[in-house]
Amino acid sequence: CLHRMRLIHTDLKPENVLLCDSGSCVERTADNSEYRIPVSTSIKVIDFGGATYDDEHKSSIVNTRQYRAPEVILALGWSLPSDLWSIGCIVAELFDGELLFATHSNTEHIALMERCLGYFPHAMIDNSKYGSKYFGQNGQSRWQSSLSRDGQRHVRRMRTLREFVGEHRDTGLLDLLGCLLELDPKRRATAQEALGMPFVRGRRL
């Protein structure tokens, strides 16, 4: 709905997605342990303080760090696809219970993306004024020479997207996350395309 109006939210994250009904019910697993689920999955998106129409002046940095798209970090300009990246991060977090990209620095953030999703397209690196800062001549992140030992250990622990999804690949989750967390914003799924994917529509592959 927002993107049909060419309106970019710019700060999608779990805190800005609210359940319409706070009620929950108890379910049991096969081993008889209990867990709670919402009685309704209806949601509302809130906090439009930073929302921007696509043809308006845009600030250089948007999104809360952990949900920030690579094109924003590399100062390549951003548009509707940056929202879809944030949604990919939210879906991954709801699946795993933890932040997908738990970081507070650009160098580490880019390295985590690279470990999870593969190497950045050369065009993105070449067109970024920060290309030489974050990437070597081989097009790979400079994290091994730029990060502290703790930072390097954190990056090495990052799983690939296939490893992250694991045995749930046949649900369509891997395909959905792969389309939303596409490094190149020009190739990233649109909201309409994402809504048509099997995982969203409840169809098993």
Side-chain angles (χ1 to χ4, degrees):
C1 179
L2 296 179
H3 287 190
R4 278 200 298 270
M5 297 187 290
R6 308 298 294 176
L7 183 63
I8 311 162
H9 186 282
T10 76
D11 197 21
L12 291 172
K13 55 185 177 180
E15 293 90 333
N16 288 339
V17 182
L18 306 183
L19 288 166
C20 294
D21 189 325
S22 61
S24 63
C25 59
V26 175
E27 295 284 339
R28 292 185 181 276
T29 62
D31 64 0
N32 212 33
S33 59
E34 293 183 354
Y35 64 97
R36 291 189 168 275
I37 61 171
V39 295
S40 171
T41 56
S42 296
I43 60 169
K44 287 185 178 181
V45 176
I46 64 166
D47 192 358
F48 286 79
T52 304
Y53 284 102
D54 200 24
D55 59 355
E56 291 181 334
H57 172 75
K58 297 172 181 174
S59 59
S60 57
I61 296 294
V62 290
N63 304 112
T64 299
R65 153 69 70 192
Q66 292 78 14
Y67 309 90
R68 186 174 296 157
E71 65 268 23
V72 178
I73 298 172
L74 294 176
L76 294 171
W78 49 270
S79 184
L80 304 171
S82 66
D83 275 351
L84 275 299
W85 176 276
S86 301
I87 291 172
C89 294
I90 293 170
V91 171
E93 187 173 340
L94 290 173
F95 168 70
D96 188 56
E98 301 288 344
L99 288 166
L100 180 61
F101 301 116
T103 183
H104 295 285
S105 82
N106 284 341
T107 300
E108 190 175 80
H109 201 167
I110 286 170
L112 292 171
M113 291 177 182
E114 183 182 84
R115 293 279 289 189
C116 183
L117 305 167
Y119 297 130
F120 276 68
H122 284 285
M124 292 182 70
I125 298 171
D126 294 342
N127 291 330
S128 172
K129 61 183 179 181
Y130 300 120
S132 59
K133 178 179 179 181
Y134 298 126
F135 300 92
Q137 291 184 342
N138 59 2
Q140 297 177 22
S141 166
R142 294 180 180 274
W143 64 273
Q144 295 187 66
S145 59
S146 301
L147 295 178
S148 66
R149 288 184 180 180
D150 284 345
Q152 291 180 40
R153 280 194 291 269
H154 181 51
V155 171
R156 288 193 180 97
R157 286 194 296 266
M158 186 72 197
R159 294 168 287 177
T160 67
L161 195 60
R162 180 171 288 274
E163 291 168 340
F164 174 80
V165 174
E167 62 186 23
H168 300 277
R169 286 191 291 271
D170 65 349
T171 64
L173 179 60
L174 180 62
D175 290 338
L176 176 64
L177 290 177
C179 290
L180 294 174
L181 298 173
E182 164 62 53
L183 291 169
D184 186 348
K186 295 177 182 177
R187 299 179 58 189
R188 201 171 297 148
T190 65
Q192 193 66 41
E193 289 168 345
L195 286 171
M197 298 195 70
F199 182 83
V200 179
R201 295 176 66 86
R203 298 198 307 266
R204 294 183 72 83
L205 298 179

